Amino acid sequence: MEIPYPFIREFTELLYNVRGILDRILAGFDEFTLLEDDLILIDIFAGLAQIDEANHQLAYYFYDHSTFLTVIQGFSLVVEEAEYLEKTWNSSEGKQRLIRDQFYPVYAVWQAEVQEQLTPYTIS
């Protein structure tokens, strides 16, 4: 089966875009209004849905790469943290704390693990 290099590059960009949004939130959480917080989180949730869909496609292409499959399955921890984040929708302080202390660290670790696995396919 041929490796979908363009898809992998797009997936990698998506991972960095979500990380960039999270970095922006952490850098200036106090500068955003509650409405802006919500709009930004909606973007993050949309990105997570795209990542989840892409993970299924990547699992198909890398079905024989057990380490990568294990890393992809680790996305369930990111989703779990996102679900906690949804439960704090009405609390700006709660969202900030969850993003800073739980969601961001889990996403960052998972992203680094995925990037490590995909690096051989993204270096041109």
Side-chain angles (χ1 to χ4, degrees):
M1 182 177 309
E2 188 172 324
I3 302 295
Y5 294 102
F7 176 75
I8 291 173
R9 279 191 289 280
E10 289 174 15
F11 179 73
T12 300
E13 288 175 20
L14 175 61
L15 296 179
Y16 280 116
N17 287 341
V18 169
R19 177 80 176 260
I21 292 169
L22 290 168
D23 286 339
R24 204 172 87 225
I25 288 173
L26 290 175
F29 214 112
D30 295 333
E31 297 173 15
F32 298 115
T33 66
L34 190 57
L35 177 61
E36 289 171 323
D37 290 350
D38 293 346
L39 293 174
I40 291 169
L41 287 176
I42 288 169
D43 286 344
I44 290 172
F45 292 139
L48 295 178
Q50 290 176 333
I51 291 169
D52 188 50
E53 184 178 317
N55 281 345
H56 293 291
Q57 293 173 335
L58 289 169
Y60 173 78
Y61 288 109
F62 292 96
Y63 69 93
D64 60 344
H65 192 306
S66 64
T67 303
F68 186 68
L69 293 175
T70 300
V71 169
I72 286 176
Q73 291 169 351
F75 188 68
S76 64
L77 296 174
V78 175
V79 171
E80 189 175 298
E81 292 301 329
E83 289 170 355
Y84 291 133
L85 192 53
E86 278 186 306
K87 292 176 185 175
T88 65
W89 198 259
N90 294 322
S91 169
S92 187
E93 296 81 22
K95 283 188 274 192
Q96 182 179 9
R97 188 174 35 261
L98 271 172
I99 289 171
R100 183 187 62 237
D101 298 341
Q102 292 174 259
F103 183 77
Y104 183 87
V106 169
Y107 180 82
V109 167
W110 178 80
Q111 181 201 8
E113 291 172 351
V114 170
Q115 292 300 142
E116 182 180 325
Q117 295 297 313
L118 290 178
T119 295
Y121 305 101
T122 57
I123 297 176
S124 329

